[in-house]
Amino acid sequence: AARKFPQLKQDVKYYQIFYEGQHNDARTNTCIALTAAEEGATIANYVEMVGMLADKDGKAIGIKCRDNLSGKTFEVYAKSIVFCGGPFTDSLRKIEDKDSAPAVAAGAGTHIVLPSYYCAGGIGLLDMNTSDGRFLFFLPWEGHTLVGTTDRKEPATSEHGPPEEEIQWLLNEVKTYISGDIKVRRSDVLSAWQGYRPLASDPHAEPGAPVSRDHIISTNPKTGITFITGGKWTTYREMAEDVINRMIDINGLKPSNGSTTATRPLRGGVGYSRNLPVTLVQEFGVSEASSKHLARTYGMNAVDVCSMAEPTSKRWPRFGNILVDGFPYLECEVPYICRHEMCCTVKDMLTIRMRLAYLNKEAAIVAAPKVAELMAKELKWSRRETRRQLQEALNVLNKFGGTIPHPSYIEATEKEAKTVKEVFERMDLGKNGYIDLTEFGDCCKALGIPFKSTQDAKKVFDSIDTKRNGKIDETEFVEWWNKSGDKNLKAKLSEKFKFTAYQAGGGILG
C-alpha cells in the first residue's frame, strides 16, 4: 500500500488492501430508465406527481401529473401504483395520505472533489474511524479524487450546495492521511456537493426502531399504493425484482416467464468489449482520452456518439471537438444526449448527464454558454429561451462548492488582519507564496468586492505585478499597499479585514 500510494504518510504501522467497485451513479440511473424504455416502459421525464386519483372507496386508481416544462397537468390511470422516490418517498406518501407516518430518515452527506494528484492511480483509502467516529473514503473517481462523506439527519432537498463547515472538516481529515510534503489547500476543492441516502424505517414498527440500509416494501391498506425505499446501488436489481413480484402477488397475475432482471444488460451493454476505446480511436479518429470516457459513459452507444463527431482541423485528434479544455467531453455529446437521453435543460446536461459540475464547478461554468448554444440549435430554442436556460444553469452551478468558500462563511469567520502581510496571506488562496490573476479575481469576488470584468481585474493586477511575471509576491503586495493609487480597492480590503484607519493608510510593512 505504501509503495502504490506514496501520497500517504509513510509512518503508518498497518494497511489492509481490499477490492471495491465504483460507478457514475447518475449515468447508471439514466441507463436504467432508458433500458426500461427499450423494454416497453413509458418514460415521462420532467414530470411530477401532484395528486392522487381515487374511487369512491378511497382506493387509488391513478395519479395526477404536472409537466414541469410546460406547466400542463394530465392524469394517468393504473391498476397498481408504486412509489420509488428514494429520499423523497415521504413527500409522495403525503400526497397519498397527509397523515402517513414517515418511512424515510434521510441522511445527508457532503463530498468534495480534489485534483487527481491527491490519489494514486487505481487505489484509494477508507478510514473506518475518523476523528468523530464516522467513515471516510478517499478515492480516484472520473479522473479526480473524491472524498466523503459526512452524515447528518435532515429532510432531503434538491439543493446541491453543502455546508462550508463540512467541506472544512473533510479537508482537515485528509490532512491526517496525506504526507507532510503535500499541501492540503482549500483552493484545491474543485467541486463540493451533498447527496441524501434513503435510510428506511417501517412506518408500522414500534417507536424508536432502528432505520435500515436494506430496502423495505409496504402497501397502504387504505389506498392500495405500495412504496419501496431504502436499499443501495449494489442491490437495485434485487429491489426491482422484489417490488414487481409483490405487484404480481397483489394482483394475482400469472406472468408467462420468470424474471430476467438479474441478467438484462443496461443500455449500451449488449456487445460491449473492453477494447471498445481502441476501436473508437481507430475508426473515428477521436483522442484516446475521449474514447475511454465515451466507452465508459455510453457503452456500445459510444459508436453512435462518435459518428456525430465533427472534424477538428487538427493533425490529431482529427474528429471530436473538445467541449472544455482539460476534460474529455466532446461537443457532439450534447446533441446526442438531447436526441437519445431525454435531456431538455442546460442544468441537467452539466450535472446529471455529463457530471462536469460534480467534477469541476468552474469548468462547468465555462462550458455552460457553449452547451446552451448547442442545445438551442438541437432543440430549436429562441434567443430568449436560450438566455433563460443559461441563467437557470448558472444559478444551479453557483450553488455547488468550489475553490473558494461561500462569501457568507468568509464574512462570518474572517478574523482581523493586523498587518499587510496577513492580508496577503489571506488572499494567497493556493498558499504557494504568490497570487495569480485568477486567485486575485476569485478572492475579491469572494470578499464581496468583485471586478466588473476580467479586464478591470487585470488592470489592477498588472499595477501590483511590477516584475511582470504573472505573480504577485509578498514584497510587491506590500509595496503596492504603501503607494498611492487604487485607494478604492484598498479601502474595501481594509473594511473586509477590519483594518483601522491608520493601518489602511500605510506604514505597516508586515
Side-chain angles (χ1 to χ4, degrees):
R3 177 176 58 82
K4 289 191 172 185
F5 208 148
Q7 294 93 330
L8 295 178
K9 290 182 177 179
Q10 301 297 301
D11 57 353
V12 177
K13 295 181 180 180
Y14 175 76
Y15 286 114
Q16 179 180 2
I17 295 179
F18 67 99
Y19 294 88
E20 181 63 282
Q22 65 175 210
H23 69 145
N24 182 333
D25 57 336
R27 290 300 312 175
T28 301
N29 198 44
T30 298
C31 286
I32 291 171
L34 295 174
T35 303
E38 289 179 349
E39 291 292 330
T42 299
I43 305 298
N45 202 15
Y46 302 103
V47 171
E48 179 181 359
M49 173 186 169
V50 295
M52 183 187 80
L53 304 175
D55 63 15
K56 58 183 177 61
D57 298 320
K59 292 291 185 180
I61 57 174
I63 61 173
K64 187 175 182 179
C65 302
R66 180 178 63 230
D67 181 343
N68 286 327
L69 294 182
S70 67
K72 295 180 179 179
T73 59
F74 58 95
E75 296 175 348
V76 178
Y77 292 87
K79 292 181 179 179
S80 295
I81 299 171
V82 181
F83 291 160
C84 311
F88 301 98
T89 297
D90 282 339
S91 63
L92 297 174
R93 296 179 62 242
K94 287 295 182 182
I95 297 175
E96 170 200 8
D97 178 3
K98 61 182 177 59
D99 298 321
S100 61
V104 177
T110 292
H111 304 72
I112 60 175
V113 176
L114 304 174
S116 60
Y117 55 69
Y118 272 92
C119 215
I123 189 170
L125 175 142
L126 173 67
D127 183 359
M128 297 184 181
N129 188 23
T130 60
S131 61
D132 63 357
R134 291 183 284 193
F135 276 45
L136 184 137
F137 55 79
F138 188 89
L139 304 170
W141 184 66
E142 297 292 313
H144 295 71
T145 300
L146 178 65
V147 181
T149 178
T150 56
D151 187 15
R152 66 183 188 280
K153 301 298 185 290
E154 65 181 36
T157 73
S158 296
E159 291 294 321
H160 298 93
E164 179 63 30
E165 294 80 2
E166 295 194 353
I167 296 175
Q168 299 288 348
W169 181 84
L170 289 169
L171 287 172
N172 289 334
E173 290 297 315
V174 169
K175 291 177 183 178
T176 65
Y177 317 118
I178 293 295
S179 174
D181 58 354
I182 298 177
K183 298 176 183 176
V184 178
R185 308 176 301 182
R186 177 61 182 78
S187 59
D188 282 338
V189 177
L190 304 177
S191 185
W193 32 273
Q194 64 181 0
Y196 290 85
R197 295 178 294 277
L199 306 178
S201 59
D202 187 343
H204 306 297
E206 293 295 324
V211 297
S212 171
R213 290 186 183 272
D214 296 325
H215 64 275
I216 61 171
I217 301 173
S218 182
T219 301
N220 186 332
K222 297 179 182 178
T223 65
I225 292 179
T226 297
F227 74 84
I228 179 170
T229 192
K232 41 193 176 287
W233 275 113
T234 50
T235 62
Y236 82 87
R237 289 180 186 259
E238 179 187 12
M239 294 170 66
E241 185 170 343
D242 286 353
V243 76
I244 293 300
N245 286 340
R246 177 70 65 89
M247 292 300 96
I248 290 172
D249 293 341
I250 288 176
N251 292 282
L253 303 178
K254 299 184 183 299
S256 58
N257 58 277
S259 172
T260 60
T261 302
T263 57
R264 193 348 176 147
L266 293 182
R267 177 181 171 89
V270 177
Y272 178 81
S273 165
R274 292 173 65 183
N275 290 324
L276 178 59
V278 178
T279 301
L280 299 179
V281 172
Q282 293 180 338
E283 293 192 9
F284 296 98
V286 298
S287 72
E288 185 176 351
S290 291
S291 72
K292 291 178 179 178
H293 152 67
L294 294 172
R296 187 171 59 246
T297 302
Y298 304 96
M300 285 303 295
N301 294 114
V303 173
D304 297 326
V305 179
C306 285
S307 69
M308 299 171 65
E310 296 184 353
T312 63
S313 301
K314 300 177 182 178
R315 291 287 297 175
W316 190 260
R318 297 179 184 175
F319 289 85
N321 292 301
I322 292 295
L323 183 64
V324 60
D325 288 341
F327 292 84
Y329 302 103
L330 302 182
E331 290 183 3
C332 61
E333 293 180 66
V334 176
Y336 174 85
I337 291 171
C338 289
R339 295 177 196 178
H340 302 289
E341 296 190 353
M342 306 181 186
C343 185
C344 298
T345 66
V346 175
K347 66 175 182 179
D348 282 358
M349 186 69 73
L350 289 168
T351 55
I352 56 178
R353 293 299 192 276
M354 288 189 163
R355 304 314 302 274
L356 185 56
Y358 286 87
L359 298 176
N360 190 308
K361 170 185 175 179
E362 295 303 324
I365 290 174
V366 169
K370 185 63 178 180
V371 170
E373 175 190 330
L374 292 168
M375 293 187 72
K377 181 179 179 181
E378 184 66 28
L379 300 175
K380 306 295 188 295
W381 288 341
S382 65
R383 291 184 179 179
R384 181 178 181 180
E385 175 63 11
T386 304
R387 289 194 298 269
R388 189 195 69 79
Q389 286 273 351
L390 177 57
Q391 189 57 56
E392 178 187 55
L394 293 175
N395 291 342
V396 169
L397 295 175
N398 280 316
K399 292 180 180 179
F400 281 77
T403 55
I404 53 178
H406 192 276
S408 61
Y409 179 82
I410 295 176
E411 193 74 29
T413 60
E414 191 58 68
K415 298 178 181 178
E416 178 182 347
K418 297 180 179 179
T419 66
V420 178
K421 178 181 177 181
E422 288 184 16
V423 175
F424 173 82
E425 290 173 348
R426 306 280 176 83
M427 297 187 72
D428 177 15
L429 301 176
K431 305 305 177 188
N432 43 25
Y434 64 83
I435 303 169
D436 62 32
L437 177 57
T438 299
E439 267 182 316
F440 186 65
D442 285 349
C443 189
C444 289
K445 180 180 178 181
L447 290 169
I449 47 177
F451 291 97
K452 291 182 179 179
S453 67
T454 303
Q455 290 74 17
D456 288 346
K458 190 174 188 306
K459 184 177 179 181
V460 177
F461 181 89
D462 288 344
S463 71
I464 308 173
D465 177 25
T466 56
K467 295 178 183 177
R468 299 292 183 266
N469 61 357
K471 303 175 182 178
I472 299 173
D473 61 29
E474 182 184 318
T475 301
E476 290 173 311
F477 189 83
V478 172
E479 289 176 352
W480 166 76
W481 192 276
N482 289 298
K483 288 191 311 184
S484 60
D486 298 319
K487 292 183 179 180
N488 185 43
L489 178 59
K490 291 177 188 176
K492 290 180 178 178
L493 287 173
S494 298
E495 179 183 349
K496 292 296 179 181
F497 291 108
K498 305 175 178 66
F499 264 34
T500 66
Y502 166 72
Q503 290 170 322
I508 299 179
L509 302 180

